[in-house]
Amino acid sequence: MVKQQSSMHVKGAILLALLGAASTASQAQQKTPYWASIEESEARMRTGPSTEFPVKWVYKRQNLPVKVLAVHSVWRKVKDIDGDEGWLHVRLLSPKRTAIVTGTEIGALRDAPDPAAHVSWRVEPGVVGIIDECDNGYCRFENDGRYGYIETERIWGDEAP
């Protein structure tokens, strides 16, 4: 029984490694600049593309959007919402598109991508959500199961990279 469980653990580890390699490969094929998001709950941004370089920032918020500016092996040079640039290991990033609400006022999530559409939810500046269907000045924005369309000028994570 122990041997079978060990075998299952090895197969699971191999599967996870393959999935990670697939994610890395898909990101490596993208032309910079492109959008990504921080996948881990803690990610260390470094001053250069190696663990030998000092840590510049420690991000402690999963799904934050970042703009990938350059690729060096398994490292990505990224820019955050505040304009800070540094290097993150590719395993800390996800191709999942996210955005953060900007500005100083509450944002409106509408039922349709139209300024006259009904406001279904409101979001505060700093809220992070998953985005898709970005077109004509609006993105579909989802946070914690609630979604609606928000004006692209109210988010960081969508403008042409």
Side-chain angles (χ1 to χ4, degrees):
M1 190 69 158
V2 173
K3 187 173 184 176
Q4 186 178 21
Q5 286 180 342
S6 276
S7 175
M8 289 175 62
H9 288 300
V10 169
K11 288 178 183 175
I14 291 170
L15 179 60
L16 286 174
L18 289 173
L19 290 174
S23 175
T24 301
S26 69
Q27 287 189 41
Q29 294 171 1
Q30 288 187 328
K31 184 177 178 184
T32 57
Y34 65 90
W35 292 101
S37 57
I38 296 177
E39 186 166 41
E40 301 296 324
S41 58
E42 183 174 297
R44 288 176 172 80
M45 176 190 274
R46 297 186 177 273
T47 59
S50 164
T51 56
E52 301 298 316
F53 287 92
V55 173
K56 183 175 183 179
W57 286 106
V58 177
Y59 294 97
K60 294 194 175 208
R61 190 162 178 202
Q62 198 170 17
N63 293 325
L64 279 174
V66 292
K67 187 184 292 187
V68 177
L69 305 173
V71 174
H72 178 76
S73 183
V74 295
W75 293 88
R76 303 296 180 263
K77 183 176 186 180
V78 301
K79 181 177 184 178
D80 69 16
I81 188 170
D82 296 320
D84 286 316
E85 295 181 12
W87 295 85
L88 291 172
H89 193 281
V90 70
R91 70 176 162 69
L92 300 172
L93 297 173
S94 167
K96 179 173 32 173
R97 290 289 309 274
T98 64
I100 187 167
V101 178
T102 60
T104 58
E105 301 193 12
I106 303 291
L109 294 182
R110 301 182 178 279
D111 289 338
D114 183 321
H118 174 261
V119 175
S120 52
W121 302 101
R122 298 193 185 276
V123 289
E124 294 182 354
V127 170
V128 173
I130 297 168
I131 59 170
D132 60 9
E133 298 179 27
C134 295
D135 200 22
N136 297 324
Y138 283 86
C139 281
R140 184 178 179 277
F141 185 94
E142 189 263 321
N143 176 276
D144 200 26
R146 296 183 175 124
Y147 63 91
Y149 291 86
I150 190 167
E151 294 173 296
T152 54
E153 65 188 33
R154 288 300 317 271
I155 57 175
W156 189 83
D158 173 59
E159 76 269 7

